[in-house]
Amino acid sequence: MGVRLVVVDDHRLLAEALASALKLRGHRVLAAAAPAAGAADLVIARVPEVCLLGTAAPAEPGIFDPVVKIKRERPQVAVLVLGPVPSPRGIAAAFAAGASGYVRHDERIEGVERAIGKARAGEAAVAPQLLQQAFAELLNPAAQPDDEAQRLLEMLTPREVEVLVRVADGEDTRLIAAGMGIAPSTARTHVQRVLMKLGVGSRLEAAALAARTGLLDRAAAFRPAPDSHP
């Protein structure tokens, strides 16, 4: 049976992509909105079973104030945080505010759906590997945090990075091919390889993942100058 959801994220594209994916899987999305700062009022008004709250900075002071307000006004609503690889302080802050779980923003939709089910059932929804990473950082505070954007960039060739940038700019296959001076069939192959490597099922999801991780900012060096292709 589907879950009544509200999806909130500062990146509207990501909120809408996630909402669309969840609707296709039979869930009832009451609202998909940005920015996350308005999450509390939206949830209080709509009263979903679960609120998916996206954040890019889980350790930032006050970032989970909306969660506190939601749990105070609508204690029956489970709040599931979606964010980057968190520090131990980030995980602790989310749960201290009243969140029911924490899911990495690059988790596959099946993983998000499992977490939603756990949250609705009143269980803590946090992947064991996240807890392991948190404990590892506590034991070794000098360790560098996971750089998701860099990891993704290392998976792609320079040409695939350019394709991803163009996809995020909203270019279709024809425009990608024209801009890169390649055949449409070749452009289509590049796009499919990018989707496969990123582990996403659509161009929209690829663009959302790139925006969320900051990969697009890192990929600026791959953006060709005007008329750089013949």
Side-chain angles (χ1 to χ4, degrees), residues 28-68:
R28 183 183 176 193
V29 179
L30 305 178
D41 291 338
L42 182 61
V43 169
I44 290 168
R46 298 297 182 91
V47 197
E49 293 177 276
V50 179
C51 168
L52 299 179
L53 178 66
T55 177
E60 183 176 320
I63 197 69
F64 296 122
D65 286 351
V67 181
V68 175

Side-chain angles (χ1 to χ4, degrees), residues 8 79 178 198 205-206 230:
V8 185
V79 180
L198 295 183
E205 289 181 87

Side-chain angles (χ1 to χ4, degrees), residues 1-6 22 25-30 48-51 113 116-117 120:
M1 184 172 64
V3 180
R4 296 195 320 276
L5 303 167
V6 164
L22 291 168
R25 300 178 76 86
H27 300 287
R28 183 183 176 193
V29 179
L30 305 178
E49 293 177 276
V50 179
C51 168
E113 195 171 32
I116 289 171
R120 183 175 66 167

